[in-house]
Amino acid sequence: MILIVFKYLTPRGFRGLTFYPFVFLADKDDKLNTIFINHEKIHIRQQLELLVLPFYVMYFTEYLFRLIQYKDNKKAYFNISFEREAYANEKDLNYLKSRSFWRFCVYLKAFKK
């Protein structure tokens, strides 16, 4: 994982953007935020499992589905299975050591209303 502070590559309202093997950060202070970095490491693992490009195809497709489902950008984003997994486990700094392959699939099943 390569951390790069470059706020112009980070979408407005987001603190970071992960594109294997890079994590683009809007704020240099986030380099020291272990919970935030763990969240991004979870995305790195997801991208590796799906060979990067299919990850983004699935991510964008699920986002569109959630947007139709919830009719709210923020709610759609937080209900993407990849984000749900990352947010649910970002505080567990040992999560990636025991995480099973394609674990994000578990988060496809349970929808937040």
Side-chain angles (χ1 to χ4, degrees):
M1 178 172 70
I2 302 166
L3 299 174
I4 299 173
V5 179
F6 193 67
K7 67 179 181 180
Y8 300 110
L9 283 178
T10 306
R12 184 179 296 184
F14 290 87
R15 294 168 55 197
L17 172 70
T18 300
F19 192 83
Y20 180 82
F22 304 102
V23 177
F24 299 98
L25 306 172
D27 186 338
K28 66 180 168 126
D29 292 337
D30 279 331
K31 281 181 144 183
L32 304 174
N33 185 329
T34 55
I35 293 171
F36 177 74
I37 296 302
N38 196 47
H39 179 104
E40 299 307 326
K41 283 180 179 179
I42 293 169
H43 287 317
I44 291 282
R45 178 73 59 86
Q46 294 165 341
Q47 290 175 18
L48 281 170
E49 289 173 349
L50 292 168
L51 306 176
V52 184
L53 188 58
F55 167 85
Y56 281 100
V57 171
M58 288 177 65
Y59 190 101
F60 184 69
T61 302
E62 188 176 353
Y63 171 75
L64 290 177
F65 176 78
R66 300 290 180 220
L67 189 57
I68 292 166
Q69 182 181 17
Y70 295 111
K71 296 170 183 53
D72 178 275
N73 286 322
K74 194 172 185 177
K75 205 168 190 180
Y77 163 76
F78 282 109
N79 279 284
I80 297 169
S81 59
F82 301 111
E83 293 299 339
R84 293 182 63 216
E85 179 189 13
Y87 280 110
N89 298 289
E90 67 187 3
K91 292 180 183 174
D92 180 358
L93 301 181
N94 293 311
Y95 175 69
L96 288 173
K97 291 178 184 173
S98 61
R99 180 185 180 270
S100 59
F101 192 75
W102 281 24
R103 181 71 180 163
F104 65 88
C105 291
V106 170
Y107 295 88
L108 277 168
K109 297 176 185 175
F111 302 117
K112 291 183 182 178
K113 299 282 178 177

